[in-house]
Amino acid sequence: QVQLVESGGGLVHPGGSLTLSCTASGSSFSINVMGWYRQVPGKPRELVASITRGARTDYLDSVKGRFTISRDNAKNMVYLRMDSLKPEDTDTYYCNSAPRGLHEWGQGTLVTVST
C-alpha cells in the first residue's frame, strides 16, 4: 500500500532552521490531506501541520508562524520548513494522512534542537 519515508532531520541550534521531506509511494493517487506529526517515545503523536491537495494549511498553535507545510502533488512529496526552532520542538517527525494517520507509519526523522 502506501509507503511513507521521511528525511531531513538533524541537529540544529535553537533559532535555527530545518526542512523535512516526505515521500509517499505505492499509490497512483495522492493523499487528499497530508500532515506532519511528531512523537516522543511514550507519548501520543500530535498533528503539527496539515495541508490539503489545494494547499489549504493548518498548524498546531505552538508552531504557527514558525513552521510552513507545503506539498508537491506531482512528486507525491510533502515538506515541512521549520524556522526559529526551539528545544521543545525536539522530536521524531512523521508524515501521514491528516487529521488521522491512516497509513502505515514510516520510521520518521529525528529533529534535535539543542545548544
Side-chain angles (χ1 to χ4, degrees):
Q1 198 60 30
V2 174
Q3 181 179 191
L4 301 168
V5 180
E6 303 91 349
S7 63
L11 174 64
V12 64
H13 291 163
S17 299
L18 284 172
T19 298
L20 309 183
S21 299
C22 168
T23 301
S25 62
S27 176
S28 60
F29 296 96
S30 63
I31 299 168
N32 190 39
V33 184
M34 288 294 300
W36 282 97
Y37 302 75
R38 63 188 182 189
Q39 182 183 34
V40 175
K43 303 291 185 180
R45 295 179 208 259
E46 63 177 351
L47 180 61
V48 176
S50 64
I51 183 168
T52 69
R53 183 182 299 274
R56 181 177 298 174
T57 60
D58 199 10
Y59 297 92
L60 190 68
D61 283 345
S62 62
V63 308
K64 286 181 179 176
R66 300 189 298 118
F67 290 11
T68 303
I69 187 171
S70 61
R71 67 189 293 173
D72 186 332
N73 294 327
K75 296 181 181 294
N76 293 324
M77 295 190 70
V78 185
Y79 308 92
L80 185 68
R81 190 183 77 190
M82 304 183 295
D83 298 317
S84 302
L85 282 162
K86 304 175 180 180
E88 50 262 45
D89 296 319
T90 295
D91 216 329
T92 300
Y93 286 73
Y94 304 83
C95 60
N96 212 317
S97 57
R100 297 176 60 221
L102 301 177
H103 305 281
E104 184 177 358
W105 298 96
Q107 293 299 112
T109 186
L110 176 63
V111 172
T112 302
V113 185
S114 179
T115 57

